[in-house]
Amino acid sequence: MELAITNSLKMANGVEIPQLGLGVFLVKEEDELNMAVKSAIYDGYRHIDTAMIYNNEKFVGKAIKETEIPREELFITSKVWNYDHGYEETKAAFEATLKRLDTDYLDLYLIHWASPNYIETWQAMEELYEAGKIKAIGVSNFQIHHLEDLMAHTKIKPMINQIETHPEFPQNELHEFMEKHGILHEAWGPLGQGKHDLLSHPVLVKIGEKYNKTAAQIVLRWHVERGIVVIPKSVTPHRIKENSKIFDFSLSKEDMAEIATLNTGTRYAKDPDDEEFLKTSAIRPE
């Protein structure tokens, strides 16, 4: 087994989060997920990011147990879904997540989207945090106005905001706001989710040739240079290993400036201000 990937960033409360993690969004087949999680851990990853709505928390928990890595060496994130918002609902959802993951605590718990009643959800999370059941609490897919609203009505600021981020959508304004308020930036879909030809872009290919790295490694390093936590999703062992090989080189200011020219302002996933989605997804299925 290789040495653990030790690069980490410190959240406002002093808790350290590994800067590179494995995302498991859309991985619902048990054997595939089991292989991905084990491959990541054996390659040195110590950060796994899941969510209730991914329907794979149980599989993640089982794979982690089978690696026999001590729980305290791992960083596990999950998220409360939109139809579980509310004070009592969030408490119940959290306990259900712990049971599925077969763990006594979470390292990080996030509000998945800013759907109705997220203030009450956060208040429940504050209590769980203060009781020591969560090491850190944060949000996902929150815009500046959501963060401002949350901070105005609650005691504890979010420690992290997990948002769609990639070179075509660098989230510069939100990034600066979070830096100003001590909220760590975490990128989901860091490689653009494969929905376009980002990884064949001539700029990234050229920079990759300069460092003998792939375009994906260049993009992941770009995130690292910006002080962002990154959770690329893959179920392919050699890709998982490749994604970890980003801490043995640095990009120059000129490289970063070239990559900045890729910004098109293109969001490939849902808009966090899509009111219809936020309302309908908050309705519990029959």
Side-chain angles (χ1 to χ4, degrees):
M1 186 184 299
E2 297 190 359
L3 292 174
I5 301 162
T6 55
N7 294 64
S8 62
L9 297 176
K10 193 172 286 187
M11 289 180 274
N13 66 343
V15 169
E16 293 191 354
I17 178 170
Q19 195 168 9
L20 175 69
L22 177 73
V24 296
F25 175 56
L26 292 180
V27 188
K28 295 182 181 179
E29 206 280 313
E30 181 176 3
D31 290 342
E32 188 176 52
L33 187 138
N34 189 281
M35 181 179 66
V37 171
K38 287 180 177 177
S39 294
I41 290 175
Y42 294 147
D43 284 333
Y45 289 68
R46 292 297 179 265
H47 175 185
I48 309 294
D49 179 280
T50 184
M52 186 286 289
I53 202 65
Y54 299 170
N55 293 314
N56 59 21
E57 288 175 319
K58 187 175 180 179
F59 301 152
V60 168
K62 182 180 177 186
I64 285 171
K65 276 285 185 349
E66 290 175 359
T67 67
E68 299 185 349
I69 297 293
R71 172 66 183 89
E72 61 272 15
E73 293 183 17
L74 298 168
F75 192 101
I76 303 174
T77 300
S78 194
K79 312 173 191 76
V80 57
W81 184 245
N82 302 350
Y83 56 63
D84 285 322
H85 280 203
Y87 179 82
E88 294 295 344
E89 293 87 346
T90 296
K91 291 281 188 80
F94 174 76
E95 291 300 330
T97 278
L98 286 190
K99 186 174 182 181
R100 285 189 292 269
L101 285 165
D102 193 16
T103 185
D104 297 327
Y105 69 95
L106 283 184
D107 297 279
L108 179 62
Y109 199 41
L110 306 177
I111 295 179
H112 210 145
W113 293 87
S115 58
N117 302 316
Y118 64 77
I119 298 294
E120 291 85 349
T121 292
W122 187 257
Q123 289 167 342
M125 289 167 59
E126 286 179 328
E127 289 189 13
L128 291 165
Y129 169 71
E130 289 171 341
K133 303 204 81 172
I134 311 171
K135 300 294 184 184
I137 51 177
V139 295
S140 181
N141 303 301
F142 271 47
Q143 305 276 61
I144 290 174
H145 67 93
H146 297 133
L147 292 170
E148 289 175 331
D149 181 51
L150 189 64
M151 291 189 289
H153 293 95
T154 55
K155 296 185 298 180
I156 302 172
K157 278 196 302 188
M159 295 153 195
I160 199 164
N161 185 17
Q162 185 185 115
I163 52 178
E164 177 184 355
T165 316
H166 45 78
E168 291 187 331
F169 193 59
Q171 297 265 28
N172 292 329
E173 184 182 4
L174 184 46
H175 181 81
E176 289 172 12
F177 177 89
M178 292 191 293
E179 275 194 330
K180 178 181 176 183
H181 291 275
I183 301 168
L184 209 56
H185 183 162
E186 183 171 14
W188 66 258
L191 299 173
Q193 295 185 296
K195 293 183 177 178
H196 51 107
D197 56 359
L198 174 66
L199 299 184
S200 61
H201 196 287
V203 166
L204 298 175
V205 172
K206 181 186 74 171
I207 296 174
E209 290 171 350
K210 174 180 171 183
Y211 296 102
N212 195 28
K213 295 289 183 179
T214 66
Q217 289 171 320
I218 296 301
V219 172
L220 294 175
R221 184 67 208 185
W222 169 80
H223 286 284
V224 168
E225 299 280 357
R226 297 179 77 210
I228 293 173
V229 177
V230 62
I231 49 167
K233 171 220 161 185
S234 180
V235 295
T236 310
H238 82 270
R239 291 284 185 213
I240 291 170
K241 189 178 186 71
E242 178 186 288
N243 288 344
S244 72
K245 305 298 184 183
I246 57 172
F247 297 105
D248 57 352
F249 75 106
S250 296
L251 297 174
S252 68
K253 288 183 179 178
E254 291 75 22
D255 297 329
M256 295 295 284
E258 275 200 89
I259 295 171
T261 66
L262 274 58
N263 179 8
T264 60
T266 305
R267 185 192 295 278
Y268 287 98
K270 290 189 182 298
D271 187 334
D273 285 323
D274 182 340
E275 293 296 329
E276 184 62 24
F277 162 71
L278 294 175
K279 287 177 183 175
T280 56
S281 61
I283 300 170
R284 186 180 300 276
E286 292 289 332

